[in-house]
Amino acid sequence: MTEELEQILSQLSQPDNSIIQQATAKLKQVFQDPAIIPALCAVMRGSLNPQIRQSAAVMLRMRVKKHWRKISPSDRESLKTEVLQAFMQETEHTVQHSLSQLCAVMVKHETPDRWPALLQLLNQSTKSSNPHDRQVGLLLLNKVIQSNPEPFKPHYNQLLQLFSSVLQDHNNPTALYYSILSLTAITASTGSEELNQMRSIIPSLIVALKHLIKANEDQACEAMEVLNELMESEVSIIVPHVADIVLFCLEVGCDATLSDSLRVKALSCISFLIKLKSKTVLKQKLLNPILQGIFPVLVAAPPPGQQDLEDEEDDDGDGTENDSPKHCAAQIIDTMALHMPPEKLFQQLMPLAKACLTSENPYQKKGGLMCLAVLAEGCADHIRTKMLPSVLQTVCQSLSDSNQVVRSAALFALGQFSEHLQPEVSKYCTDLMPLLLGYLSSLNQAKIGHITKVFYALENFMENLGADIEPYLPTLMETMLLSLNNSENLKIKELAVSAIGAIANAAKELLEPYFPPVIESLKGFLTTTTEEMRSLQTQSLDTLSVLARTIGKDVFSPLAAECVQLGLNLTNTIDDPDLRRCTYSLFSAVSIVSPDCVTPHLTDITTVMLLALKSNEGITAHLEEDKTFVLVDDDDDDDSGEQKDEDDILEDETEIDIHDVAGFSVENAYIDEKEDACEALGEIAFSTGVAFQPFLESSFQQVNEMKDFPHDDVRKAAFGAMGQFCRAQHRVWKENPSEANHQALLKLLDVVLPCFVEAVRKEHERLVVMGILETMNNVIKSCKEQVFKNPSHLKGVCYVIRDVLKKKTVCQGDSCDEADDEDQQAEYDSMLLEIAGEGIPLVTSSVPGDSFAPFLNDLLPLIMSKTKSSCTVAERSFSVGTIGEILHALVGVPGGRGVAGRLSNRLLPVFVAGMRDSDPEVRNNSVFGMGCLAEAAGPIVVSDYPMMLSVFSNLLTKETDLLVIDNLCAALCRMIMSNVGAVPLEQVVPALVARLPLKKDMEENKTVFSCLAMLYTNSPDLIVKLMKPIVAASSHVLGNKDVDQETQNSLSMLMTQFAQQQPAHFQAAVTSLPAEQQAKLSIAISTL
């Protein structure tokens, strides 16, 4: 049989299909012979042709992998002996490689302790004085450890000693390579007992990597993964060596003679290290060396006749996905911005950036602009409050630069500013819009790559303008519609369609006159089936979703049913993840506007989305070698008539073994599809209510599985959808208050709340934790006391908020390691604390005061610690605002008054100090808090009224900020309503009325006019004396779209009372007003 098998294998390598087909048929027959294992072993050891020996080893590996349980014990033992002997006598590297992979698969079934000969061979070969034997032994060791590191754990001590020794062998780069790969493989499973050994290896490891770089850059690039693995698995190993690692990575990353892939790997290591241990980097004074190292990379000119990747014609314009050293240098600054205190970063960064921005060299200027652009997200607060005018001026000047490289970078920077520095950037609308419109007017002359960047900046800027976009609408829409109708270039049409979505986000109902021609164009694009239109179709669906959400229900509803049908037709006929993703968004948008149009199709809609969540499509396994021979080992050759046991089924169902895989890659489109499917399912569940009930359980189960997905955005979306499902169930119960619906809600909350709490503690990614906390806040806001029907949820939620505020969660790892510099932290770290803090008032309003008091006593000091003058403006504003919201929430809960009263002595000094703050937002929140304290504590704080009124009076005389003045008026009203007898009304009320109408805080009209209505009942004479200014102020509130209907109705009733009970005074007040305001009052009175 051995000769026959060798002949068949030889025929399989012939360049003739008919011979290969005949050989394959014969091979299938041979594989049914029980003697196939010994025969393959004989060929693997005895054939003179290395290709055939390798083929035999590969076939044995496939056989072992799929049918180990079916191989007889004697054949197993024989195979263990044969494979090791073959390995020892083999001289061809490719065959050794396949044999080591065969051993690796066997180790999955036969642990090293049950295969002592393997351990003996590894021990002898890796310690051999012959460099080649050592190299081959390390290859085998690498493959078997990568296959199954855990069983080798008892030998880790010995292995680390071996690696430490091999890493000194600088003349044998292949041995270094396999040794480092093996070290990488065991890193994740090393325990505390190996920590010191691992730490001691790091210096040798860095030297070994330097030698490997000289010998083989591709292998060095792969080996450098060890640094990422060490950081991810056990960062404490590298902490003592952070400076050495950073300097090594800088040396590699900044060396232009090395390959881009190696430099990118090195610079990416620095980014990852900063993300994990930013405080250590700062403490070891590494910030300046890193910046000094990467700035030359950031500003380097490309080779003559070439361009940077992002300046090439086919670039997408959003500055992403370019894996070049220059892009990685910018990424490092971006990571610094997200993870370091802005004050410390800017102190060392800005001198370098300014030098670039004032240079005449276009690539220096570009580097400076890229630097500003990537700072915008992580240091938004710092830039907005301390340097916005100057950086915007720089960007504006660069938009008019003579060099397109500079102009493109300026457009990217403006796009980033527009996205992250709101609302302040939008105030520069009159300066920036003419510049951007000027770019649009020259669309025909510009290259498409540059036009893409223009649209990126324009979209991000327009999207946040709100009603301020109105003066520019005619010009913008004329340009966009012309591009849709006249341009031959599909990319320009796609950019215009996308821009219309951005315009709609700002303009909302103002876009209505342009709606018919826009819809006509979109329909045309969406009903075309040609492949080259796909990208334009995807964008059209996206914009259609935006229009559904923004244009107004009355305008969009007539199209709703047609849109759903269109989306379903596209998902049924075109297999494209991007297109499907946009249909989910469309279904979701339509469900908000016209849920009845979505309801009949919920079966089809949920089916396609749940399939997207289950699917492994887009996940590609990169196999280490050709799998030509897999087909000959199909399952149908020897299983007929046999009953498979469970283990066989488990073995047989895995098509690709994880250890044949060199790596996985996932196409971004499929990740985005899963993210959007989660978001859409949550939104549709909430919008369609009862109709979604039959699909809730299956949707929840599938989304729940996504919470452990490898990609952060999908995990975040899954938690968001779980929150939406809770809100949806709560809504169903409220609208149909049956016991079954109530129990379903409580059951869902019992599953979801513990998930949230655990994930906040254990999730590594800060943005995911922020998303979970926001979702949890929304669930508490919607479901209120139902969340806490189970008493364990109150403890769980309060304790996890406390843990975040104390920086004790996994994603805050670096924060809790080192307690110094408490007053300085990255802005995103502060934002995480703020989102957690926002949950406290929501919990306060959902449980009785006495139940919450013990937890509040725990949490309040953590919030109050951020009121110190040494804290940032954002922290002071947040802390005082949160305390105010807690008091506001106590007003409406049983026992709230007692809790507020007990807190008054601690809180009054905080508010008084806050009212003297230099920042208007802090003053505003302090005024609000003081008013809420008076309202919540009632009679308990009456003795403090004189002091409170004195502070308010002083502030009122000198305050210039309109928002603060509005809140002063509201705070005085709260004091009056809470203890009318304790306020000198004759002095306070005229001063209050003189500041009306409210200019900025429209929500407080409810407080102010409730107070005036109460005073009219209690002290009518006082109000009659002030009728003229009160009526005048009322005329500005009535009909104001920013004031809620309930307040407007209450005010209309007060005006009607004035008209009926004090006709002369009222008429005199009305006639003194302009005609337009008289008309508003007339309408208000007549409608009641």
Side-chain angles (χ1 to χ4, degrees):
M1 183 180 182
T2 306
E3 285 177 22
E4 183 190 1
L5 186 58
E6 181 158 1
Q7 189 180 5
I8 294 170
L9 292 177
S10 174
Q11 287 170 344
L12 278 173
S13 61
Q14 300 299 314
D16 183 326
N17 276 341
S18 61
I19 294 176
I20 290 172
Q21 283 172 355
Q22 289 169 16
T24 302
K26 288 181 194 170
L27 199 58
K28 283 204 170 197
Q29 285 183 323
V30 172
F31 259 71
Q32 292 177 19
D33 190 323
I36 186 65
I37 298 282
L40 280 170
C41 285
V43 174
M44 176 179 74
R45 282 191 64 190
S47 174
L48 298 176
N49 184 329
Q51 191 175 354
I52 290 174
R53 295 201 299 277
Q54 184 185 12
S55 298
V58 169
M59 287 191 178
L60 271 169
R61 177 158 60 89
M62 301 312 294
R63 195 75 181 171
V64 165
K65 185 178 75 180
K66 296 181 82 175
H67 302 296
W68 178 255
R69 286 173 58 82
K70 296 173 192 167
I71 299 172
S72 70
S74 61
D75 276 356
R76 286 185 202 172
E77 289 305 315
S78 162
L79 179 58
K80 280 155 66 173
T81 305
E82 291 279 346
V83 69
L84 295 182
Q85 286 177 350
F87 189 82
M88 283 189 282
Q89 73 183 41
E90 185 56 63
T91 55
E92 289 287 332
H93 181 71
T94 52
V95 185
Q96 288 169 337
H97 198 267
S98 292
L99 287 165
S100 66
Q101 288 184 311
L102 170 56
C103 289
V105 172
M106 290 167 69
V107 163
K108 283 180 66 183
H109 303 287
E110 290 289 277
T111 57
D113 293 340
R114 282 161 47 196
W115 194 359
L118 171 68
L119 287 176
Q120 191 180 350
L121 173 61
L122 286 171
N123 199 28
Q124 285 171 355
S125 59
T126 55
K127 290 177 180 171
S128 166
S129 57
N130 180 323
H132 179 262
D133 288 354
R134 216 166 43 248
Q135 189 174 304
V136 171
L138 287 163
L139 161 67
L140 178 59
L141 176 65
N142 173 236
K143 294 301 171 191
V144 295
I145 284 185
Q146 279 183 329
S147 158
N148 200 6
E150 279 294 327
F152 286 89
K153 217 168 176 351
H155 309 281
Y156 276 8
N157 198 295
Q158 199 181 342
L159 285 171
L160 287 169
Q161 287 173 10
L162 169 69
F163 298 150
S164 187
S165 161
V166 174
L167 290 174
Q168 315 289 333
D169 187 4
H170 301 151
N171 295 322
N172 193 343
T174 308
L176 295 179
Y177 169 65
Y178 286 125
S179 182
I180 295 170
L181 292 193
S182 301
L183 179 62
T184 309
I186 69 168
T187 295
S189 44
T190 50
S192 53
E193 58 277 15
E194 286 95 23
L195 278 186
N196 286 333
Q197 255 186 304
M198 292 283 278
R199 281 196 192 105
S200 66
I201 282 178
I202 304 293
S204 308
L205 176 64
I206 292 171
V207 176
L209 284 168
K210 287 181 181 178
H211 280 85
L212 191 52
I213 287 168
K214 289 175 190 166
N216 187 323
E217 288 189 23
D218 288 341
Q219 286 188 345
C221 191
E222 191 184 345
M224 278 185 71
E225 184 59 33
V226 70
L227 297 177
N228 280 338
E229 190 65 36
L230 284 164
M231 287 187 257
E232 198 158 16
S233 304
E234 189 47 78
V235 74
S236 65
I237 292 170
I238 58 126
V239 168
H241 307 285
V242 161
D244 294 335
I245 290 171
V246 165
L247 295 174
F248 163 65
C249 289
L250 277 176
E251 186 184 315
V252 176
C254 302
D255 185 347
T257 64
L258 298 174
S259 69
D260 273 8
S261 56
L262 185 58
R263 295 176 67 197
V264 162
K265 191 79 171 176
L267 293 169
S268 301
C269 278
I270 296 176
S271 264
F272 193 39
L273 183 58
I274 292 167
K275 180 182 173 185
L276 292 176
K277 300 299 289 181
S278 59
K279 283 193 166 67
T280 307
V281 170
L282 287 169
K283 207 170 183 179
Q284 299 199 17
K285 298 190 167 38
L286 293 169
L287 176 56
N288 194 45
I290 294 172
L291 291 173
Q292 295 289 349
I294 63 172
F295 252 81
V297 179
L298 187 66
V299 302
Q306 293 183 30
Q307 289 184 303
D308 287 337
L309 289 169
E310 62 273 8
D311 292 321
E312 287 176 0
E313 183 55 13
D314 58 354
D315 184 62
D316 282 342
D318 59 0
T320 59
E321 301 303 323
N322 289 332
D323 254 353
S324 65
K326 183 172 283 199
H327 179 250
C328 285
Q331 189 68 49
I332 288 173
I333 297 173
D334 189 7
T335 308
M336 288 173 170
L338 289 164
H339 295 277
M340 289 181 173
E343 298 78 9
K344 293 192 171 178
L345 175 58
F346 277 64
Q347 185 182 357
Q348 302 199 37
L349 175 69
M350 286 319 287
L352 295 167
K354 282 175 180 168
C356 293
L357 292 164
T358 52
S359 167
E360 291 303 309
N361 179 321
Y363 284 96
Q364 294 261 344
K365 275 187 186 170
K366 174 190 171 176
L369 288 162
M370 293 297 286
C371 180
L372 292 180
V374 296
L375 289 168
E377 183 182 4
C379 300
D381 238 26
H382 186 86
I383 297 173
R384 275 204 317 261
T385 54
K386 291 189 169 66
M387 53 196 299
L388 188 58
S390 63
V391 294
L392 265 182
Q393 186 182 8
T394 301
V395 169
C396 285
Q397 286 168 353
S398 303
L399 287 171
S400 309
D401 195 275
S402 58
N403 191 301
Q404 186 171 296
V405 165
V406 177
R407 295 198 302 275
S408 291
L411 286 165
F412 175 58
L414 180 57
Q416 289 283 290
F417 287 3
S418 302
E419 191 172 341
H420 301 296
L421 305 181
Q422 293 297 345
E424 285 80 359
V425 166
S426 294
K427 292 173 186 169
Y428 293 84
C429 178
T430 50
D431 300 316
L432 289 164
M433 276 308 282
L435 280 170
L436 291 168
L437 291 174
Y439 268 102
L440 278 187
S441 65
S442 58
L443 274 185
N444 299 331
Q445 293 87 46
K447 289 184 177 177
I448 195 71
H450 192 60
I451 292 170
T452 305
K453 293 176 175 67
V454 173
F455 271 91
Y456 170 71
L458 183 69
E459 278 192 38
N460 278 5
F461 189 71
M462 291 188 305
E463 201 155 28
N464 295 288
L465 285 180
D468 289 341
I469 201 171
E470 189 170 8
Y472 308 103
L473 263 185
T475 310
L476 284 167
M477 288 310 295
E478 184 185 341
T479 308
M480 299 309 155
L481 289 168
L482 270 173
S483 299
L484 293 188
N485 298 326
N486 299 343
S487 175
E488 294 301 308
N489 189 309
L490 289 178
K491 183 65 180 176
I492 288 186
K493 285 183 192 281
E494 185 187 330
L495 291 168
V497 168
S498 179
I500 289 169
I503 293 167
N505 270 324
K508 298 189 167 49
E509 294 88 350
L510 296 170
L511 201 65
E512 190 178 331
Y514 307 96
F515 187 65
V518 168
I519 284 296
E520 194 179 333
S521 289
L522 295 185
K523 278 185 182 175
F525 301 149
L526 287 166
T527 49
T528 312
T529 53
T530 55
E531 184 66 36
E532 66 268 15
M533 291 285 283
R534 193 61 36 79
S535 192
L536 177 54
Q537 284 185 317
T538 302
Q539 188 54 63
S540 298
L541 279 172
D542 212 29
T543 294
L544 193 56
S545 305
V546 175
L547 289 167
R549 292 171 192 272
T550 55
I551 198 80
K553 192 171 181 176
D554 295 342
V555 178
F556 198 86
S557 289
L559 289 168
E562 189 183 347
C563 283
V564 175
Q565 198 53 60
L566 176 76
L568 287 169
N569 291 345
L570 287 169
T571 54
N572 288 335
T573 54
I574 299 171
D575 182 17
D576 181 285
D578 271 325
L579 201 73
R580 284 196 299 270
R581 174 178 69 77
C582 291
T583 62
Y584 307 158
S585 183
L586 180 61
F587 299 146
S588 179
V590 172
S591 77
I592 295 168
V593 181
S594 299
D596 292 347
C597 295
V598 172
T599 300
H601 304 285
L602 279 174
T603 302
D604 292 338
I605 288 171
T606 55
T607 300
V608 72
M609 291 193 209
L610 295 181
L611 280 173
L613 293 181
K614 286 176 188 170
S615 167
N616 288 329
E617 205 176 357
I619 300 176
T620 309
H622 304 295
L623 301 179
E624 285 202 342
E625 60 185 74
D626 183 31
K627 293 295 178 284
T628 315
F629 308 117
V630 179
L631 63 144
V632 302
D633 198 17
D634 286 345
D635 290 341
D636 60 3
D637 57 9
D638 58 358
D639 291 334
S640 51
E642 285 183 29
Q643 181 67 41
K644 292 189 181 187
D645 66 24
E646 189 180 344
D647 285 341
D648 288 342
I649 292 167
L650 285 173
E651 280 186 21
D652 289 355
E653 71 183 6
T654 307
E655 286 297 315
I656 295 173
D657 189 277
I658 192 76
H659 303 104
D660 301 329
V661 173
F664 286 98
S665 64
V666 187
E667 286 179 52
N668 283 342
Y670 291 95
I671 295 168
D672 294 343
E673 185 187 7
K674 289 181 192 300
E675 180 188 352
D676 286 10
C678 286
E679 287 177 358
L681 280 167
E683 199 160 33
I684 292 168
F686 187 71
S687 301
T688 55
V690 173
F692 197 84
Q693 288 285 285
F695 311 98
L696 188 63
E697 188 169 348
S698 57
S699 298
F700 180 82
Q701 284 173 353
Q702 199 56 51
V703 166
N704 190 37
E705 286 185 25
M706 293 291 105
K707 73 180 192 295
D708 298 317
F709 196 76
H711 287 261
D712 339 341
D713 292 339
V714 177
R715 295 200 299 279
K716 185 179 171 190
F719 282 112
M722 287 161 71
Q724 287 279 49
F725 292 149
C726 292
R727 295 178 65 229
Q729 187 62 47
H730 180 262
R731 187 175 178 179
V732 166
W733 169 61
K734 278 291 187 186
E735 291 169 3
N736 308 273
S738 68
E739 184 56 26
N741 283 339
H742 190 209
Q743 287 307 314
L745 169 63
L746 297 179
K747 184 180 169 187
L748 193 56
L749 288 167
D750 278 345
V751 174
V752 171
L753 257 293
C755 273
F756 287 169
V757 167
E758 183 185 25
V760 169
R761 285 207 173 92
K762 294 185 177 175
E763 167 64 52
H764 283 80
E765 288 300 322
R766 186 175 55 188
L767 283 174
V768 178
V769 174
M770 289 160 81
I772 297 167
L773 286 167
E774 279 181 339
T775 299
M776 188 164 78
N777 288 348
N778 287 332
V779 170
I780 297 170
K781 195 174 186 176
S782 292
C783 305
K784 293 196 172 3
E785 71 285 350
Q786 297 306 316
V787 174
F788 303 107
K789 285 282 182 190
N790 179 337
S792 69
H793 295 336
L794 180 60
K795 184 186 285 187
V797 170
C798 291
Y799 282 0
V800 86
I801 292 173
R802 180 196 64 187
D803 287 351
V804 175
L805 294 176
K806 286 186 167 182
K807 303 178 188 174
K808 286 191 171 177
T809 66
V810 168
C811 79
Q812 296 167 296
D814 197 29
S815 304
C816 55
D817 286 351
E818 298 150 42
D820 57 337
D821 288 340
E822 272 301 306
D823 292 335
Q824 286 193 326
Q825 59 184 348
E827 287 184 11
Y828 265 69
D829 291 331
S830 300
M831 283 164 64
L832 175 61
L833 303 184
E834 287 179 24
I835 297 167
E838 284 164 10
I840 303 174
L842 294 168
V843 178
T844 310
S845 63
S846 305
V847 291
D850 292 333
S851 304
F852 186 53
F855 299 104
L856 186 56
N857 287 336
D858 233 7
L859 295 167
L860 203 56
L862 300 171
I863 299 292
M864 288 174 69
S865 69
K866 296 292 176 189
T867 60
K868 295 180 291 191
S869 58
S870 57
C871 295
T872 65
V873 168
E875 288 169 336
R876 299 199 304 275
S877 172
F878 148 72
S879 55
V880 178
T882 302
I883 295 166
E885 293 291 351
I886 291 168
L887 291 166
H888 189 55
L890 285 170
V891 171
V893 297
R897 173 158 286 182
V899 175
R902 290 194 291 276
L903 294 174
S904 60
N905 286 339
R906 286 162 69 189
L907 297 182
L908 269 172
V910 172
F911 294 138
V912 172
M915 281 187 243
R916 298 195 189 106
D917 199 280
S918 58
D919 185 80
E921 198 175 288
V922 180
R923 295 198 300 278
N924 181 64
N925 289 350
S926 302
V927 167
F928 170 73
M930 184 94 92
C932 291
L933 180 60
E935 186 179 12
I940 303 168
V941 289
V942 166
S943 58
D944 295 303
Y945 263 40
M947 180 273 289
M948 292 162 76
L949 288 167
S950 169
V951 173
F952 280 158
S953 174
N954 289 337
L955 188 55
L956 202 55
T957 55
K958 59 188 179 190
E959 184 58 66
T960 55
D961 187 274
L962 297 175
L963 190 62
V964 180
I965 293 169
D966 286 356
N967 270 278
L968 275 164
C969 294
L972 287 167
C973 289
R974 287 190 168 93
M975 290 179 73
I976 292 166
M977 287 190 287
S978 187
N979 293 291
V980 68
V983 179
L985 299 178
E986 295 287 344
Q987 294 163 259
V988 171
V989 178
L992 162 68
V993 170
R995 298 318 194 274
L996 301 180
L998 302 183
K999 313 295 188 300
K1000 291 279 186 182
D1001 196 339
M1002 295 298 128
E1003 280 184 39
E1004 290 294 13
N1005 277 300
K1006 181 177 184 177
T1007 309
V1008 169
F1009 285 102
S1010 297
C1011 176
L1012 292 175
M1014 185 202 87
L1015 286 172
Y1016 182 58
T1017 305
N1018 288 3
S1019 312
D1021 294 348
L1022 176 62
I1023 297 302
V1024 170
K1025 275 194 274 184
L1026 297 167
M1027 187 166 292
K1028 192 177 277 189
I1030 290 172
V1031 170
S1034 304
S1035 70
H1036 290 282
V1037 176
L1038 293 164
N1040 185 330
K1041 64 178 179 12
D1042 295 326
V1043 177
D1044 67 283
Q1045 201 52 53
E1046 186 188 341
T1047 301
Q1048 300 218 24
N1049 292 343
S1050 302
L1051 185 51
S1052 296
M1053 286 174 67
L1054 181 61
M1055 292 301 107
T1056 305
Q1057 282 182 295
F1058 283 177
Q1060 290 171 352
Q1061 295 166 13
Q1062 307 288 341
H1065 289 96
F1066 181 69
Q1067 204 50 47
V1070 171
T1071 51
S1072 66
L1073 296 173
E1076 188 185 341
Q1077 283 160 270
Q1078 289 189 33
K1080 281 185 186 175
L1081 286 160
S1082 176
I1083 291 166
I1085 292 166
S1086 62
T1087 52
L1088 282 176

